Amino acid sequence: MRRLLPLLVLVVACGKKPVNVTAIEWVGTVETAEARAKAEHKPVVVFIGAEWDTGTKELEHVSFADADVRALAQRYVTLRLDGTDDENEAFRKNADRFKVVGIPTMIIFASDLRTELYRINEYTPPEKLAGILMYADKPGVGLGGMQARASYEG
């Protein structure tokens, strides 16, 4: 039995995803995201959600909880904006800036937080979101040769 135990542990461990990937570290202001993106030379994921939205809840509890998504999110500065009170002046300002037409919205920007690389306006399962996060910051790679969608004055 002593000889089989290490083999059994190895077999069980090989089929599992890593469980020690940290949670996504969201920043809460555009200014913080801009400063970190500039200092760390990282692209930015802007996520706009609301407590009342089922797509937001699915993203938070399913896609953002996925180990692959969490690992890939480390390559980005991640900004979460709360649209629960969509009439709040600060939210409206950011919604206008990022051309938000619905919730949930996730936009991937270059590190300048002006060049849009990819936009999602619905719940996205973890497998698809992981693929987007893997390639969105690589011009002309994957995602159908996607090009930047817009440039924002900010």
Side-chain angles (χ1 to χ4, degrees):
M1 184 65 181
R2 280 188 182 169
R3 290 182 180 176
L4 292 178
L5 189 56
L7 181 59
L8 181 61
V9 169
L10 180 63
V11 169
V12 171
C14 286
K16 296 196 174 200
K17 286 186 175 183
V19 293
N20 61 347
V21 179
T22 61
I24 297 173
E25 181 187 332
W26 298 102
V27 298
T29 68
V30 173
E31 295 77 21
T32 302
E34 284 178 316
R36 281 194 52 199
K38 184 176 181 179
E40 299 173 19
H41 306 287
K42 286 183 175 183
V44 181
V45 171
V46 177
F47 172 63
I48 300 101
E51 290 178 16
W52 46 260
D53 179 63
T54 56
T56 297
K57 290 177 192 269
E58 285 182 291
L59 281 163
E60 291 173 341
H61 296 290
V62 180
S63 299
F64 297 156
D66 181 78
D68 291 337
V69 170
R70 290 191 329 252
L72 288 163
Q74 303 304 312
R75 295 176 19 191
Y76 296 83
V77 172
T78 49
L79 167 63
R80 187 187 194 291
L81 300 173
D82 186 5
T84 300
D85 179 4
D86 58 3
E87 301 208 4
N88 174 284
E89 187 177 329
F91 173 75
R92 291 292 346 134
K93 179 181 172 190
N94 285 322
D96 290 345
R97 174 181 177 168
F98 297 124
K99 299 174 178 41
V100 175
V101 295
I103 291 177
T105 293
M106 189 177 320
I107 313 164
I108 301 175
F109 287 97
S111 61
D112 63 6
L113 203 58
R114 285 173 176 65
T115 305
E116 182 177 321
L117 303 174
Y118 200 79
R119 178 178 290 256
I120 303 166
N121 290 91
E122 61 189 2
Y123 167 71
T124 305
E127 303 79 24
K128 183 176 180 182
L129 184 54
I132 292 167
L133 292 173
M134 180 161 304
Y135 294 108
D137 63 332
K138 299 183 178 18
V141 177
L143 302 174
M146 172 203 66
Q147 299 297 315
R149 297 178 66 170
S151 184
Y152 294 73
E153 300 301 316

